[in-house]
């Protein structure tokens, strides 16, 4: 299954189709493989899908016209919707496989969840820790977009906790909402008075806006900002 997101479908859809075709070719004489996509167009993004994924999946699972399979597997890329869906998979004792997001470390709460991803919030947290330590950066300015993927909010929380526990570190977390106009000039002017290292936790569109504003304020090149 996958959310109704144009950015995800071209990547995960063909992979699923190829995998199903391969399974049918190799094992078609042994068992039957059925593949069903669960999509609801009213969910425009992963954040909205996370609030409706349980009802959408349960409606399919308990559909009286559906013939129960010997083995049911919930397979998807995984984003905000993975955690609420895990609650269903756990209660049903149904295998759930994600290719992007990692499950909880405590397997008691995700005993049927398998992830093919090697990255997680902890992985990125460790990356930032290594960068800050290597270059001796003790003053950090974090810009978090609250309208972007919830992963960024989790990442910001981890960074803030890490910096708060690091002796000599100072940080500022500035929250913005990309669904509205972001005052980049004002943000960068404040940033210049606080730090020279900025960490942006947001989608690519905001990065382009940030770079345009930084160019306008002559903050690139030899200015010394990271």
């Amino acid at each position: 299954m996958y959310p109704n997101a144009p950015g995800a479908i071209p990547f995960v859809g063909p992979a699923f189709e190829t995998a199903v075709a391969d399974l049918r070719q190799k094992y078609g004489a042994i068992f039957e493989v059925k593949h069903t996509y669960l999509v609801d167009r009213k969910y425009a993004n992963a954040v909205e899908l996370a609030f409706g994924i349980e009802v959408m999946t349960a409606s399919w699972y308990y559909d009286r016209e559906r013939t129960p399979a010997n083995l049911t597997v919930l397979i998807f890329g995984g984003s905000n919707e993975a955690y609420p869906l895990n609650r269903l998979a756990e209660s049903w004792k149904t295998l759930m496989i994600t290719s992007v997001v990692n499950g909880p470390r405590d397997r008691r709460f995700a005993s049927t969840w398998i992830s093919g991803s090697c990255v997680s919030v902890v992985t990125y947290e460790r990356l930032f820790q290594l960068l800050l330590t290597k270059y001796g950066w003790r003053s950090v300015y974090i810009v978090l977009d609250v309208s972007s993927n919830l992963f960024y909010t989790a990442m910001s929380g981890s960074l803030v906790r890490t910096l708060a526990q690091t002796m000599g570190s100072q940080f500022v977390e500035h929250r913005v909402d990309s669904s509205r106009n972001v005052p980049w000039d004002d943000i960068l002017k404040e940033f210049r008075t606080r730090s020279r290292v900025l960490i942006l936790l947001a989608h690519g569109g905001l990065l382009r806006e940030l770079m345009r504003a930084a160019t306008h304020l002559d903050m690139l090149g030899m200015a010394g900002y990271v």
Side-chain angles (χ1 to χ4, degrees), residues 36-50:
T36 302
Y37 286 113
L38 299 184
V39 179
D40 193 328
R41 295 183 180 278
K42 70 181 178 183
Y43 302 121
N45 53 56
V47 176
E48 295 180 9
L49 180 64

Side-chain angles (χ1 to χ4, degrees), residues 179-214:
S179 64
R180 304 176 181 177
N181 185 44
V182 178
W184 283 115
D185 284 358
D186 294 338
I187 293 173
L188 290 177
K189 287 176 182 177
E190 179 191 17
F191 161 62
R192 288 192 298 194
T193 67
R194 301 291 191 96
S195 176
R196 67 183 186 89
V197 179
L198 187 149
I199 297 177
L200 175 66
L201 299 174
H203 59 77
L206 277 193
L207 176 59
R208 289 191 292 272
E209 293 180 12
L210 168 63
M211 297 305 290
R212 291 194 197 101

Side-chain angles (χ1 to χ4, degrees), residues 83 101-102 105 119-128 150-159 161:
Y83 298 97
V101 67
N102 272 329
R105 289 186 175 183
V119 297
S120 63
V121 171
V122 176
T123 306
Y124 286 105
E125 179 183 341
R126 180 58 177 161
L127 171 63
F128 283 118
L150 291 180
F151 174 84
Y152 296 120
T153 301
M155 185 70 256
S156 181
S158 295
L159 274 176
R161 287 191 294 271

Side-chain angles (χ1 to χ4, degrees), residues 14-164:
F16 292 156
E17 297 288 350
T18 301
V20 169
D22 187 55
L23 286 171
R24 287 171 176 166
Q25 179 181 9
K26 291 180 178 179
Y27 307 106
I30 303 175
F31 57 83
E32 181 183 8
V33 179
K34 294 183 179 180
H35 181 212
T36 302
Y37 286 113
L38 299 184
V39 179
D40 193 328
R41 295 183 180 278
K42 70 181 178 183
Y43 302 121
N45 53 56
V47 176
E48 295 180 9
L49 180 64
F51 290 101
I53 189 66
E54 291 172 292
V55 173
M56 185 174 73
T57 306
S59 296
W60 165 81
Y61 189 85
Y62 292 112
D63 186 351
R64 293 183 179 181
E65 296 183 1
R66 183 180 72 88
T67 302
N70 297 108
L71 174 64
T72 298
V73 185
L74 304 176
I75 306 177
F76 56 108
S79 184
N80 303 325
E81 77 280 5
Y83 298 97
L85 188 55
N86 173 62
R87 290 193 291 265
L88 290 181
E90 179 68 22
S91 65
W92 293 335
K93 296 304 176 185
T94 296
L95 181 61
M96 186 177 92
I97 302 176
T98 57
S99 60
V100 177
V101 67
N102 272 329
R105 289 186 175 183
D106 193 334
R107 301 305 298 175
R108 292 178 300 171
F109 304 107
S111 62
T112 65
W113 186 348
I114 298 176
S115 175
S117 175
C118 62
V119 297
S120 63
V121 171
V122 176
T123 306
Y124 286 105
E125 179 183 341
R126 180 58 177 161
L127 171 63
F128 283 118
Q129 284 179 338
L130 292 173
L131 286 173
L132 295 174
T133 301
K134 178 177 177 61
Y135 295 103
W137 294 331
R138 294 291 181 232
S139 177
V140 181
Y141 194 94
I142 302 171
V143 177
L144 168 66
D145 176 25
V146 296
S147 292
S148 288
N149 193 297
L150 291 180
F151 174 84
Y152 296 120
T153 301
M155 185 70 256
S156 181
S158 295
L159 274 176
V160 166
R161 287 191 294 271
T162 298
L163 291 169

